[in-house]
Amino acid sequence: MATDYLRTTGKTTGPLLEAGELDGHLVASERASRPQRGLPGVVAKLKQTLIGRPISNTQADHERLTKRKALAVLSSDAISSTAYASEEILLVLVVAGSAAVNLTVPITLAIIALLAIVVYSYRQTILKYPLGGGTYVVTKDNFGQSAAMAAGSALMIDYVLTVAVSVTAGIAAVTSAFPALRPHTVELALLAVAFLTIANLRGVRDSAALFTVPAYAFVASLLVMFGVGAWRWMVGLPPVESVAGLSPQVTESLTLLLVLRAFASGCTAMSGTEAISDSIALFKAPQAKNAVTTLVAMALVLGSLFIGISLFAHHYGILPHHGETVVSQIARAVFGHGPFYYLIQASTALILILAANTAYADFPRLAYFMAKDGIMPRQFVFRGDRLALSTGIQALGFLAGLLIVLVHGNVHLLVPLYAVGVFVSFTFSQASMVKRWWTRREPGWRQGLAINGVGAATTAVVALVIAATKFVHGAWIVVLLLPILVCTLKGIQRHYARVGRQLSLAHRDGLTLDPSAPGKTFVLISSLNQSAIRNLRFARSLSGDVTALHVTDDLASAQRLKQEWDALDPAIPLVILESPYRSLVSPLLTFLDAQTSATRHALTTVILSELVLHRWWEYLLHNQDALKLKVALFFRPNTAVIDVPFHLGRS
């Protein structure tokens, strides 16, 4: 049998066009859209103002990113982490005195070596899995769905923490320059999260255009600071402003455990390294090649900025203290409180806040892959008006905002939670590549096996070190949350499997469309009016067994309605249900149960009427009885609810 297809282009103007035939008729519909009225119209206008006009599916290729924009969007998390990674190392070492602080640079170099191994691993992942998905996809391919759930859970926790840490660190840079704003830290952070959420709902290209300049401004300003600082260092000039702290008070001994804790804290610099491999689909063609180039560029920039900040902190004897970041102290030492100091603070604050955009690019895409596999809610597959994965973006914004409120905007409370998920995902990714090399023996497998093997072992050790050394400082939350999240995903998977079995046609002999058992049709009316008469006519067109229902707590009013009904004589029985407790829903449900008890498997149809008003505020003048009834009847088995709108004009 031929099938009719209808394709809507999404354009707002134009005639109806015939587009040829495909097993019937393929029609391209370009009807002019009418503006919505009332409250829906107000909401639609506000939505369009905030996120812009809808984008057609045919424009998807134009939304992809060049390497320059992708470096800003997908590397901002990793690059911005250099603004606080050195400080986190110092915060741990300072308790053991000056000798311990001198280990900042060697620890930084060790982390950069680990970064090189991880970047090489993700380079291999991109080349072998060019469709994207990163850690989740490579883990599922090599270790199965259960392991992929664990990897995906670790990444989701990491992305939520990325937004919370980046935003709170950015606000900390602002309050370092303007101390009067410190009491409003949480409010400023929530405003930043809201801004990022709205910006990303506008689509990939719009958010990339917004974030490219701040990312490159941060890199350029730090490189200028390093250049000027290196020149002053070489010619022997003292700091423009004294920033050397007092000799730290020794409260702990310098032990291997302390060094490992400092190393674990500094590993936050590697957060976001996996972002590019997760988002290959965002690149312009050739996607895999452009992604690899961007990944290498990100690693070079990250390593250079990280070692630069650690070197200058060591050179100037800078120690962390409450109220001012390490980057702020270096900038004061090099430039004083001049214009360039405020430029560095502004660019640092911007890159830290906008670094959360990396998570906004990757969290929705990860949720998309997981939802396609039936282990996340299906809503995460949906693309919004601007081709953005809207559900994932909104969920990420909500969770990050909630976390910021819970920790009162304190970045140091978030950082211990941060690196556990990062290194768990690193370990899954590299171990998966090890298994792939070993089982498939592809060209270059020996070299790949060796490098990924070292990487998997190293990142696994680092993950254990971070979990152990940061456990009492908050990492226990992530360690506990990971299995809970995996169990939740398994529950979602079981739900979708159960629904699929119950909806499946596999156990039926064939697709038959025999008429169902006859059922009753009920029309709910409040009075005799045009809307009620139209609904009664509509009900008669559907069924020969129609009953009108009226629920009331005013018997005098009900008697008047009965007199009007008898005078009209519509040849349809009217049943008046008294409601002594003034409830609309309970009497109706009780009556329906009594009427349909003998034919409980037959379909019962309830027809409601709902006014559609012209102005949004007019809805405040009417009750929402139809909505209450729809909600109540929705959960009643074998019941169909038909809501018939009655449109009211301006006059």
Side-chain angles (χ1 to χ4, degrees), residues 14 23 79 120 141 218 287 293 337 344 404-405 478 515 564 598 620:
D23 244 2
I79 293 172
Y120 179 85
D141 185 47
F218 171 74
Q287 292 170 309
T293 302
H337 267 90
I344 288 176
I404 288 170
V405 171
V478 177
E564 294 175 5
L620 303 175

Side-chain angles (χ1 to χ4, degrees), residues 367-448:
Y368 168 85
F369 282 110
M370 296 173 75
K372 292 277 281 187
D373 289 339
I375 61 173
M376 283 279 284
R378 295 276 165 81
Q379 295 92 319
F380 286 94
V381 176
F382 173 71
R383 292 183 180 273
D385 287 352
R386 304 283 294 180
L387 296 179
L389 295 165
S390 305
T391 305
I393 292 170
Q394 293 166 7
L396 178 60
F398 172 78
L399 293 173
L402 179 62
L403 186 57
I404 288 170
V405 171
L406 291 176
V407 301
H408 305 291
N410 188 336
V411 66
H412 298 302
L413 292 178
L414 291 169
V415 168
L417 286 66
Y418 196 19
V420 178
V422 175
F423 278 87
V424 168
S425 65
F426 287 167
T427 304
F428 271 112
S429 176
Q430 300 207 68
S432 299
M433 288 302 298
V434 168
K435 184 177 181 183
R436 181 186 174 109
W437 290 125
W438 180 255
T439 56
R440 304 188 189 185
R441 307 296 174 98
E442 297 165 320
W445 70 272
R446 288 185 175 84
Q447 178 185 354

Side-chain angles (χ1 to χ4, degrees), residues 151-292:
S153 298
L155 277 173
M156 284 194 291
I157 293 171
D158 173 41
Y159 290 141
V160 173
L161 286 167
T162 293
V163 177
V165 170
S166 298
V167 168
T168 50
I171 298 302
V174 173
T175 56
S176 292
F178 304 99
L181 294 175
R182 283 177 199 158
H184 307 290
T185 296
V186 173
E187 292 83 356
L188 291 171
L190 292 178
L191 280 174
V193 170
F195 169 77
L196 287 165
T197 303
I198 292 171
N200 279 275
L201 288 172
R202 294 185 63 89
V204 175
R205 282 184 66 193
D206 276 24
S207 61
L210 184 65
F211 302 144
T212 299
V213 173
Y216 286 109
F218 171 74
V219 174
S221 63
L222 283 194
L223 291 178
V224 170
M225 182 177 74
F226 293 160
V228 174
W231 174 77
R232 295 181 64 86
W233 187 349
M234 287 187 294
V235 300
L237 293 175
V240 177
E241 290 187 17
S242 178
V243 291
L246 299 174
S247 296
Q249 183 178 359
V250 179
T251 57
E252 291 187 31
S253 301
L254 180 58
T255 61
L256 177 60
L257 180 61
L258 186 74
V259 174
L260 289 175
R261 279 175 51 199
F263 179 81
S265 294
C267 282
T268 55
M270 295 177 59
S271 64
T273 307
E274 78 292 339
I276 293 173
S277 69
D278 289 343
S279 302
I280 302 172
L282 297 180
F283 284 84
K284 288 185 177 293
Q287 292 170 309
K289 180 180 178 181
N290 288 339
V292 166

Side-chain angles (χ1 to χ4, degrees), residues 87-130:
E87 183 169 352
E88 292 301 321
I89 296 174
L90 287 167
L91 279 168
V92 176
L93 295 177
V94 72
V95 298
S98 301
V101 170
N102 291 333
L103 294 175
T104 302
V105 174
I107 290 174
T108 300
L109 291 173
I111 294 171
I112 291 175
L114 179 60
L115 171 68
I117 295 173
V118 171
V119 166
Y120 179 85
S121 173
Y122 276 113
R123 176 182 176 275
Q124 299 300 104
T125 301
I126 291 171
L127 295 175
K128 297 300 181 182
Y129 297 90

Side-chain angles (χ1 to χ4, degrees), residues 459-602:
T459 53
V461 170
V462 172
L464 291 173
V465 168
I466 293 172
T469 58
K470 298 288 185 180
F471 190 83
V472 297
H473 300 284
W476 65 269
I477 298 174
V478 177
V479 174
L480 179 64
L481 191 58
L482 267 172
I484 292 175
L485 194 51
V486 170
C487 290
T488 302
L489 296 179
K490 284 185 174 293
I492 294 172
Q493 185 183 44
R494 286 194 296 270
H495 166 78
Y496 282 129
R498 184 172 65 251
V499 171
R501 286 194 301 271
Q502 294 185 30
L503 294 177
S504 174
L505 296 173
H507 302 296
R508 296 186 180 273
D509 295 332
L511 180 62
T512 59
L513 298 175
D514 296 332
S516 60
K520 297 178 179 292
T521 299
F522 300 95
V523 182
L524 201 65
I525 63 173
S526 59
S527 63
L528 269 179
N529 52 41
Q530 290 189 44
S531 177
I533 296 299
R534 189 174 67 160
N535 282 8
L536 291 167
R537 289 173 177 164
F538 175 61
R540 290 296 298 270
S541 71
L542 296 178
S543 169
D545 188 353
V546 179
T547 302
L549 298 179
H550 175 70
V551 183
T552 183
D553 61 349
D554 184 349
L555 293 181
S557 174
Q559 185 61 34
R560 289 192 295 271
L561 173 63
K562 187 175 186 311
Q563 292 171 358
E564 294 175 5
W565 187 270
D566 292 340
L568 180 66
D569 190 21
I572 294 176
L574 170 66
V575 175
I576 297 176
L577 305 176
E578 183 182 3
S579 179
Y581 295 100
R582 301 158 303 282
S583 169
L584 176 64
V585 175
S586 296
L588 175 64
L589 293 179
T590 302
F591 175 80
L592 292 177
D593 290 343
Q595 290 293 304
T596 59
S597 59
T599 56
R600 59 183 178 178
H601 296 297

